[in-house]
Amino acid sequence: MSENTIPYKIYLTEDEIPRQWYNLRADMKEKPAPLLNPGTGQPLTAEEMSGIFCEELVRQELDNNTAYYDIPEDIRNFYKMYRPAPLVRAYCLEKALGTPAKIYYKFEGNNTSGSHKLNSAIAQAYYAKKQGLKGVTTETGAGQWGTALSMACAYLGLDCKVYMVKVSYEQKPFRREVMRTYGASVTPSPSDTTNVGRKILAEFPDTTGSLGCAISEAVEVAVSNPGYRYVLGSVLNQVLLHQSIIGLEAKAALDKYGVKPDIIIGCAGGGSNLGGLIAPFMGEKLRGENDYRIIAVEPASCPSFTRGTFAYDFCDTGMICPLAKMYTLGSSFIPSANHAGGLRFHGMSSILSQLYHDGYMEAVSVEQSSVFEAAEQFARVEGILPAPESSHAIRAAIDEALRCKETGEEKTILFGLTGTGYFDLVAYQLFNDGTMTDVIPTDEDIAKSVAALPKVPGQG
Amino acid sequence: MSENTIPYKIYLTEDEIPRQWYNLRADMKEKPAPLLNPGTGQPLTAEEMSGIFCEELVRQELDNNTAYYDIPEDIRNFYKMYRPAPLVRAYCLEKALGTPAKIYYKFEGNNTSGSHKLNSAIAQAYYAKKQGLKGVTTETGAGQWGTALSMACAYLGLDCKVYMVKVSYEQKPFRREVMRTYGASVTPSPSDTTNVGRKILAEFPDTTGSLGCAISEAVEVAVSNPGYRYVLGSVLNQVLLHQSIIGLEAKAALDKYGVKPDIIIGCAGGGSNLGGLIAPFMGEKLRGENDYRIIAVEPASCPSFTRGTFAYDFCDTGMICPLAKMYTLGSSFIPSANHAGGLRFHGMSSILSQLYHDGYMEAVSVEQSSVFEAAEQFARVEGILPAPESSHAIRAAIDEALRCKETGEEKTILFGLTGTGYFDLVAYQLFNDGTMTDVIPTDEDIAKSVAALPKVPGQG
């Protein structure tokens, strides 16, 4: 089909929504390292996991070999409420940049949770329901994951308990109200509803909470209440499996028009979006069928790929979760509170970490003021107000397109537009007022938190 | 095509986006009454209008006869950024209600302005640009219209000056920041940037502003600055013309599957959404080709159709705008501040008023607590958090579907879901906390403001 017949938005039909998720691990020669029990230093067994996660999700977490998982019919029906997500040809952005590059973005923000998180939330809630559980618990910081999980649970009639970092609970009342509208109970953390919460409150009565603390409370509630399990929105292998729907749809849409991307770009916090977007493309690259430049974009304030260490570390700042091998800044690393986006995680998905370590992808870090410049430029011509997280990918995509303008190359760029910024307007206001600043950790900051990495057999 | 092949979401292709707007007035035997000059009591001439509105829009405003207007290519390209809007089969809502009714909704909220307002904003901005103007001015209350206009102006490189009611400017900083991100200047009204603003501030230094005052300021800036015109997001004939894209798309999508709605439902404030949604269906009804039940839904707190008077009245509380013949509660009627939705206009589009007067449509009023009950029920099963305005239509659609459940009738219901509620979470919080109340005007309240209607020849 000729170039000029490509519409602004490519929608698959509902029948073309993928019927299977793709498990990237099946095509990796070097598999991601297993999660370790922090007490024993040994790989976590399915039995150990099953008190925390529901059974099917444990299976998915541990399975490095099955390439495709059928998507259950009920999940596909839920997907039909907001999928297929459009693949957009950014004609207006290309024109504004004056670039010969062809830019596409996969837009995951057209649902009330405002991001791609819903893709895994419905899957995790579905398996919990199927196992006959009463409900699930989780933590949320900015609130996108909590919102997505609330929506999934409301749909399935499953109880949903969200522990929301107290400072976010107070400063982001709107996210909280969306979750409540979807029937979730939202508790500011630390709270007096758990042992760990009471202990922290006794010691630090004025604390505004942390993600580490909220995780601890959510896990405690899950393991101490029959019929509950804990769920997590990023980092885990199972999450990347569910999020492969992003890349599978994007690839199917491009294939319809015979388009092959040269460069694939995604923002990277814990890796849920990037891992999902690149999955089928990376699969081809691993199998030697096709080559793509794949670029992870992270904030300069929290640069786990570009300045971190590939090592076993805790996934949470509270150091109660299993150890994962990943690029990490150290679980004690606290990114600047100044940073507006949600890409504040100190570590990175083990799958993506292994792929980066093995040279299958690149990473760049970008400063937030330049990220918001890109966000504004994008919003004005493409009509979508992007989330700060997504805008990291926009920044990198614009930079690549401008390089094409210099060289005259007509490269095809695909990036992930993970969500909308409707709940991030405090950050936009800082940018509009010209008072946004960039804070980048020093080498000493990073060295200090990396020095505190846990001792694990085979790790210095 | 058989019933069960209807997808959850019917998307037209970009080629199927309508190429013409439909002017409902062409098929009305009784034309809507003309706007009057409040000074002379005579119909407003094109020349009188052209100092305020740009020329093509004056032509559209006055043209009761041309049935179809070609949509300019540049506007169609802008539409392609967020249209076609999906027509959704509400399978999950039907199941939750246990109704034999078939429910469809046309969803206009999948764009950053969050509503259908963008359909007319881009048209009005386009004609201003084409006339070589520098910019446009407008007022905004809740902010949806101001946001839509900011987006359209950013796309076209047109200056956009928005006067935002001061209390909204302060209480809804997020809407304001979206507009600023799109490059609009947003001024809290009353302000010291206009004569009328300075006069009001001198008299009432502590006023929090009103829509009437903001209109006065926006009009003053438009007429006193060369190269500027004033634009309005509802009520006017030209706005209903542009909004016919909603109904034309909805009808094309239904026609694809051979579906004919029995009942068509829309919320009604000034009439921009309802007039657009029903346009092609009402056209068939007026021409005697097909029959439909058409229902306007208004808030019990501001019931212009169901409790108002059909008479000439000012469109603004400041009484500086032309007189329009419409169902009105009187321009001095102030709906309860308690009401959360944006359907607070005292009057109604002249076109819709005439059609209602002539018996072509019905109207119902609903109380806001029952509206938010419907909103929550809808959100939980359909996955979209609806705007309070749109939720009025949801309430009525659910009520009709429940009647079908009683009678066993398999009616087909189409309603307009005009937008999302992401900037209305203060209202959702009231509902979630159980503190939302309903305030309904007394007969005396209405009689008092109706008694103050202006004296016009032929009107009592």
Side-chain angles (χ1 to χ4, degrees):
Chain A
M1 215 175 280
S2 83
E3 175 71 24
N4 58 17
T5 63
I6 294 175
Y8 280 59
K9 297 193 295 307
I10 306 174
Y11 277 107
L12 301 177
T13 67
E14 275 172 18
D15 278 344
E16 293 169 327
I17 293 178
R19 290 169 191 279
Q20 297 182 308
W21 293 303
Y22 167 58
N23 181 6
L24 186 52
R25 286 165 286 168
D27 284 308
M28 291 169 70
K29 274 171 213 135
E30 297 294 326
K31 305 293 182 189
L35 293 171
L36 300 187
N37 180 323
T40 64
Q42 294 302 307
L44 217 60
T45 64
E47 202 184 339
E48 287 171 317
M49 281 192 194
S50 67
I52 303 176
F53 300 123
C54 67
E55 287 157 22
E56 174 59 24
L57 293 171
V58 169
R59 187 168 82 88
Q60 294 178 6
E61 190 63 30
L62 293 171
D63 180 0
N64 284 340
N65 299 305
T66 309
Y68 290 95
Y69 272 79
D70 287 342
I71 302 175
E73 195 60 25
D74 287 350
I75 297 178
R76 283 193 86 240
N77 284 340
F78 186 87
Y79 280 167
K80 288 177 188 171
M81 284 182 11
Y82 69 101
R83 309 197 70 84
L87 180 77
V88 186
R89 172 73 184 268
Y91 283 117
C92 300
L93 181 62
E94 291 171 17
K95 194 177 157 195
L97 297 173
T99 177
K102 293 166 185 60
I103 307 175
Y104 294 83
Y105 56 91
K106 181 69 173 168
F107 181 43
E108 292 284 326
N110 264 353
N111 70 75
T112 285
S113 79
S115 82
H116 66 291
K117 295 283 183 183
L118 202 49
N119 300 329
S120 183
I122 185 60
Q124 296 191 49
Y126 168 82
Y127 291 117
K129 179 84 179 177
K130 204 179 161 203
Q131 194 175 320
L133 298 176
K134 276 193 263 179
V136 290
T137 71
T138 200
E139 78 292 334
T140 202
Q144 281 178 322
W145 166 248
T147 308
L149 190 67
S150 304
M151 291 177 66
C153 288
Y155 182 82
L156 295 169
L158 204 63
D159 188 39
C160 180
K161 296 184 193 298
V162 179
Y163 283 82
M164 188 171 188
V165 177
K166 191 182 274 176
V167 62
S168 296
Y169 183 91
E170 285 162 3
Q171 290 183 351
K172 295 206 168 189
F174 293 167
R175 281 273 190 210
R176 179 189 78 207
E177 291 307 320
V178 180
M179 290 184 259
R180 288 181 71 205
T181 301
Y182 280 94
S185 74
V186 186
T187 307
S189 169
S191 74
D192 62 4
T193 65
T194 63
N195 290 328
V196 63
R198 284 187 291 271
K199 195 175 150 197
I200 291 169
L201 282 173
E203 201 168 347
F204 310 101
D206 297 326
T207 178
T208 56
S210 71
L211 210 54
C213 169
I215 292 175
S216 305
E217 291 203 82
V219 171
E220 180 183 322
V221 172
V223 298
S224 58
N225 281 282
Y228 282 81
R229 292 293 186 284
Y230 168 74
V231 295
L232 183 66
S234 191
V235 183
L236 297 174
N237 297 337
Q238 59 188 266
V239 175
L240 266 68
L241 174 68
H242 308 146
Q243 294 294 0
S244 68
I245 189 91
I246 305 172
L248 291 164
E249 271 190 11
K251 188 160 191 314
L254 288 171
D255 285 349
K256 262 196 171 181
Y257 290 87
V259 175
K260 178 188 167 293
D262 300 299
I263 307 173
I264 302 166
I265 297 170
C267 63
S272 67
N273 153 67
L274 181 69
L277 175 67
I278 67 174
F281 304 99
M282 183 62 89
E284 290 188 349
K285 187 166 175 166
L286 290 167
R287 296 190 301 269
E289 297 164 6
N290 249 322
D291 196 20
Y292 304 95
R293 267 188 75 201
I294 294 175
I295 306 174
V297 191
E298 56 186 18
S301 62
C302 192
S304 38
F305 269 142
T306 52
R307 297 176 66 196
T309 300
F310 188 46
Y312 265 108
D313 194 9
F314 287 99
C315 289
D316 61 322
T317 44
M319 301 191 188
I320 61 162
C321 284
L323 301 173
K325 190 165 184 190
M326 57 187 175
Y327 279 84
T328 179
L329 297 161
S331 68
S332 61
F333 178 82
I334 309 283
S336 163
N338 173 65
H339 187 69
L343 309 173
R344 296 162 53 87
F345 186 58
H346 65 276
M348 183 58 66
S349 139
S350 289
I351 293 175
L352 296 181
S353 292
Q354 189 67 47
L355 290 167
Y356 181 64
H357 180 71
D358 294 342
Y360 288 104
M361 50 189 278
E362 308 164 30
V364 296
S365 74
V366 291
E367 297 182 15
Q368 74 169 337
S369 54
S370 76
V371 164
F372 276 81
E373 269 170 35
E376 182 191 270
Q377 182 172 23
F378 178 85
R380 290 190 183 183
V381 295
E382 290 289 323
I384 297 168
L385 188 81
E389 296 84 349
S390 324
S391 304
H392 287 70
I394 297 175
R395 173 75 274 162
I398 288 178
D399 289 344
E400 290 293 337
L402 291 176
R403 267 189 277 279
C404 287
K405 187 178 180 178
E406 279 174 28
T407 62
E409 290 172 288
E410 295 186 21
K411 288 186 181 166
T412 296
I413 299 168
L414 166 66
F415 73 89
L417 189 73
T418 54
T420 50
Y422 306 144
F423 293 91
D424 302 288
L425 284 154
V426 171
Y428 273 98
Q429 183 170 358
L430 287 175
F431 179 73
N432 292 335
D433 289 343
T435 53
M436 176 171 272
T437 55
D438 298 305
V439 178
I440 299 169
T442 64
D443 289 343
E444 290 70 32
D445 291 337
I446 294 176
K448 194 174 155 192
S449 54
V450 164
L453 286 175
K455 301 286 172 251
V456 172
Q459 177 165 308
Chain B
M1 217 174 281
S2 84
E3 176 72 24
N4 58 17
T5 62
I6 293 175
Y8 280 60
K9 297 192 295 309
I10 307 176
Y11 277 107
L12 301 177
T13 66
E14 275 171 18
D15 278 344
E16 292 170 326
I17 293 178
R19 289 169 192 279
Q20 297 183 308
W21 292 304
Y22 167 59
N23 181 7
L24 186 51
R25 286 165 286 167
D27 285 306
M28 291 170 71
K29 275 171 210 134
E30 298 293 327
K31 304 295 181 187
L35 294 172
L36 300 187
N37 179 322
T40 65
Q42 295 302 307
L44 216 59
T45 64
E47 202 185 337
E48 286 172 317
M49 281 191 192
S50 67
I52 302 175
F53 300 124
C54 67
E55 287 157 21
E56 174 60 23
L57 293 170
V58 170
R59 186 168 83 89
Q60 294 178 6
E61 191 64 29
L62 293 171
D63 180 358
N64 284 340
N65 300 304
T66 309
Y68 290 95
Y69 272 79
D70 287 341
I71 303 175
E73 194 61 26
D74 286 350
I75 297 178
R76 283 193 86 240
N77 284 339
F78 186 87
Y79 280 168
K80 288 176 188 171
M81 282 179 15
Y82 68 102
R83 308 198 70 83
L87 180 77
V88 186
R89 173 73 184 269
Y91 283 116
C92 300
L93 181 62
E94 291 170 17
K95 193 176 158 197
L97 296 173
T99 177
K102 292 166 184 61
I103 307 174
Y104 293 83
Y105 56 91
K106 180 69 174 169
F107 181 43
E108 291 284 327
N110 264 351
N111 71 74
T112 286
S113 81
S115 83
H116 66 292
K117 295 283 183 183
L118 201 50
N119 300 329
S120 184
I122 184 60
Q124 295 192 50
Y126 169 81
Y127 291 118
K129 179 82 177 177
K130 203 178 162 205
Q131 194 175 318
L133 299 176
K134 276 192 263 179
V136 291
T137 71
T138 200
E139 78 291 334
T140 203
Q144 280 179 323
W145 166 247
T147 307
L149 190 66
S150 303
M151 289 177 67
C153 288
Y155 182 82
L156 294 169
L158 205 62
D159 189 39
C160 181
K161 297 184 193 299
V162 180
Y163 284 82
M164 187 170 189
V165 177
K166 192 182 276 177
V167 61
S168 296
Y169 182 91
E170 285 162 2
Q171 289 182 353
K172 295 206 167 188
F174 292 168
R175 281 273 190 210
R176 181 187 77 207
E177 291 308 320
V178 179
M179 290 185 260
R180 289 180 71 204
T181 301
Y182 280 94
S185 75
V186 187
T187 306
S189 169
S191 74
D192 62 4
T193 65
T194 64
N195 290 326
V196 64
R198 284 186 291 269
K199 195 176 151 196
I200 292 168
L201 281 173
E203 202 169 346
F204 309 101
D206 296 327
T207 178
T208 56
S210 71
L211 210 52
C213 169
I215 292 176
S216 306
E217 290 203 82
V219 171
E220 180 183 321
V221 171
V223 298
S224 59
N225 282 282
Y228 282 81
R229 291 294 185 283
Y230 168 75
V231 295
L232 184 66
S234 192
V235 182
L236 297 175
N237 297 337
Q238 59 188 267
V239 175
L240 267 68
L241 174 67
H242 308 146
Q243 294 294 359
S244 68
I245 189 91
I246 304 172
L248 292 165
E249 270 190 13
K251 189 160 190 315
L254 289 170
D255 285 349
K256 262 196 171 180
Y257 290 87
V259 175
K260 180 188 165 294
D262 300 299
I263 308 173
I264 302 164
I265 297 170
C267 61
S272 67
N273 152 67
L274 181 68
L277 175 67
I278 67 174
F281 304 99
M282 183 61 88
E284 290 188 348
K285 187 165 176 166
L286 290 167
R287 296 189 302 268
E289 297 166 5
N290 248 322
D291 197 19
Y292 304 96
R293 267 188 75 201
I294 294 174
I295 306 174
V297 191
E298 56 186 19
S301 62
C302 192
S304 38
F305 269 141
T306 52
R307 296 176 67 196
T309 300
F310 188 45
Y312 265 107
D313 193 9
F314 288 98
C315 289
D316 61 322
T317 45
M319 302 193 188
I320 61 161
C321 285
L323 300 172
K325 191 166 184 189
M326 56 186 177
Y327 280 85
T328 178
L329 298 162
S331 68
S332 62
F333 179 82
I334 309 283
S336 163
N338 173 63
H339 186 71
L343 308 173
R344 297 163 51 89
F345 186 58
H346 66 276
M348 184 58 67
S349 140
S350 289
I351 294 174
L352 296 181
S353 293
Q354 189 66 47
L355 291 166
Y356 181 65
H357 180 73
D358 294 342
Y360 288 104
M361 49 189 275
E362 307 165 31
V364 296
S365 75
V366 291
E367 297 181 16
Q368 74 170 339
S369 53
S370 77
V371 165
F372 276 81
E373 271 169 33
E376 183 192 88
Q377 183 172 22
F378 179 85
R380 290 189 183 183
V381 293
E382 290 288 326
I384 297 169
L385 188 80
E389 296 85 348
S390 325
S391 303
H392 287 70
I394 297 173
R395 173 74 274 162
I398 288 177
D399 289 346
E400 289 294 336
L402 291 175
R403 268 189 278 280
C404 288
K405 186 178 181 178
E406 280 174 26
T407 62
E409 289 173 290
E410 295 186 21
K411 286 188 182 164
T412 297
I413 299 167
L414 166 66
F415 73 89
L417 189 73
T418 54
T420 49
Y422 306 144
F423 293 91
D424 302 288
L425 284 155
V426 171
Y428 273 97
Q429 183 171 359
L430 286 175
F431 179 73
N432 292 335
D433 289 342
T435 53
M436 176 171 273
T437 56
D438 298 305
V439 178
I440 298 169
T442 64
D443 289 343
E444 290 69 32
D445 290 337
I446 294 176
K448 194 174 154 194
S449 54
V450 164
L453 285 177
K455 301 289 173 248
V456 172
Q459 178 165 306

